[in-house]
Amino acid sequence: MNQNITKNRRSFVKKFGSMAGMLAMSPSLSTLANELNFSVPSLSPDEDATTNEDYWGWVQQAYSVSPNVINLNNGGVSPQPIVVQDALDRYNRLSNEAPSYYMWRTLDEGRESLRIKLADLAGCSPEEIAINRNSSEALETVIFGLNLQKGDEVVLTKQDYPNMINAWRQREKREGIVLKFINLDLPIEDNKLIVNIYKEAFTSNTKVVMITHLINWSGQIMPAALISQAAKKHNPNIDVVIDAAHSFAHINYKIPELGGDYLGTSLHKWLSAPFGTGMLYIRKEKIKNIWPMFAANAPQSSDIRKFESLGTRSFPTEMATGHAVNFHNAIGSDRKEKRLHYLKNYWMEKCLNIPGFSTQTSLKPEFSGAIATFLIKGMAPGQIGSELFKRSRIHTTSVEWENIKGVRVTPHVYTPLKDLDRLVDTIHAIAKEQPSNTSMN
Ligand SMILES: Cc1ncc(COP(=O)(O)O)c(C=O)c1O
């Protein structure tokens, strides 16, 4: 790596931390770095950085992740860059000087600018963005807030996230709505086929379609825009709810392009915002139809802020989120998506020829990003996960959910290629020891 980078790294991180609050939108890391007299490989704003290891080496140093554990479960929750941690710390300390003054009169003032910043990233109006604590809160606000009657049908999949399925099941039990489950056999590399599977589930009673944009279990990217289009064509009154917990700030898109009416995401995942941050998008004309989960003054108003009557929560956490948006913008959505996909394919391609290795994740960028799930013949996912940790301190998560079984591996922008090489070597060693796989070695 460029020696300049190492030499100036510490002072840059320090200066960047204190200046980040002043920076509304950053065009690129190199522009920022130039202002701060710090050297990162110079890139023009649209330049592809997918395999520029000097550039990603800098990004890695902007985080404070442990070199002693190889964290490949960034799909669960992401670490925050140092600038975000510093901001959170500063806001927390400030709040503790006089909580009700600094939290309610100073920090709270920042919510409207954060709304604008998030809306800019999401490509929608700030009047369509509510700030909350996670995807579960965002999506359950919609699931419980929709006016539905006994017999109304909701189309969803068995591969959706358990919190959402449980929320729908609760409405099924209490109110008699009908759940029409699709069972996906993943991976599917055919958007037409996916759309047709949804279309077959639509009836004249369909009122809602739930779409998980990026399926957490295997990393499959779903053609949300095409499914929304098919639903609206079937009946323009169908409401489309999108779970974007894993797609937002991971793959590059603007929310309105998906054609959904409601979308929820967690900002502590791919945006690397503080833990316990989330966002709800509702198309402007639909806001009045949704009852807030925490009752507000005017629950049937068209003001998106009616979903923010959460009571006292962590204002420092909320306010540090803007720094995570700045950091994300400094890399750029397109660059980030390409790098994340590259990292996934980097290790997967090296594993495909290992005897006994199999995967339920596509390698194509249209159908996958950073998340991939694999299996070694003859072993249970939990067993593989334990071996990865025992041998190489590689932290992953095991998946056994409906049709998906395996170890889920999720790198992030800070993951060095060397860590992925270690993953490949360890998978190789584990697979080799399996009797069923040795004959082919
Ligand atoms: C697809 C999906 N939806 C929703 C969630 C819930 O996210 P949170 O725990 O941040 O509410 C997750 C969490 O991993 C997820 O993978």
Side-chain angles (χ1 to χ4, degrees), residues 88 91-92 107 114 273-277 314-322:
L88 181 59
Y91 296 149
N92 196 43
L107 292 185
L114 177 58
F275 309 130
T277 50
S314 173
F315 287 70
T317 296
E318 219 171 72
M319 285 307 111
T321 300

Side-chain angles (χ1 to χ4, degrees), residues 135 139 213-214 242-248 264-267 269-270:
S135 302
L139 290 163
H213 191 197
L214 200 159
I242 300 177
D243 180 341
H246 271 288
S247 64
F248 191 72
T265 190
S266 300
L267 304 175
K269 288 188 186 285
W270 293 97

Side-chain angles (χ1 to χ4, degrees), residues 75-76 134-136 161 163-164 212 214 216 243 245-246 266 268-269:
N134 51 54
S135 302
S136 305
Y161 196 69
N163 290 9
M164 309 322 140
T212 301
L214 200 159
N216 56 298
D243 180 341
H246 271 288
S266 300
H268 49 233
K269 288 188 186 285

Side-chain angles (χ1 to χ4, degrees), residues 409-422:
V409 172
T410 324
H412 207 309
V413 288
Y414 66 82
T415 305
L417 295 184
K418 274 191 179 303
D419 285 1
L420 297 177
D421 290 334
R422 186 133 143 230

Side-chain angles (χ1 to χ4, degrees), residues 188-245:
I188 307 179
E189 296 181 330
D190 179 348
N191 280 338
K192 242 188 183 164
L193 175 66
I194 299 177
V195 174
N196 280 337
I197 295 171
Y198 275 81
K199 271 162 91 174
E200 277 167 22
F202 298 159
T203 72
S204 55
N205 291 328
T206 305
K207 293 290 186 298
V208 181
V209 179
M210 172 101 215
I211 306 166
T212 301
H213 191 197
L214 200 159
I215 293 177
N216 56 298
W217 314 109
S218 70
Q220 171 89 32
I221 297 175
M222 298 287 279
L226 298 176
I227 301 167
S228 303
Q229 210 176 51
K232 300 285 182 187
K233 196 167 166 204
H234 182 81
N235 178 352
N237 294 324
I238 289 180
D239 279 312
V240 175
V241 183
I242 300 177
D243 180 341

Side-chain angles (χ1 to χ4, degrees), residues 272-327:
S272 279
F275 309 130
T277 50
M279 184 181 100
L280 167 64
Y281 157 88
I282 302 188
R283 203 143 60 78
K284 185 68 184 154
E285 56 270 36
K286 295 279 183 172
I287 296 173
K288 61 179 184 308
N289 301 340
I290 304 291
W291 293 89
M293 192 144 64
F294 293 90
N297 218 0
Q300 289 169 294
S301 87
S302 289
D303 187 346
I304 194 79
R305 292 161 192 80
K306 73 182 182 181
F307 300 108
E308 292 173 354
S309 300
L310 306 178
T312 305
R313 69 275 208 183
S314 173
F315 287 70
T317 296
E318 219 171 72
M319 285 307 111
T321 300
H323 298 268
V325 180
N326 281 352
F327 186 83

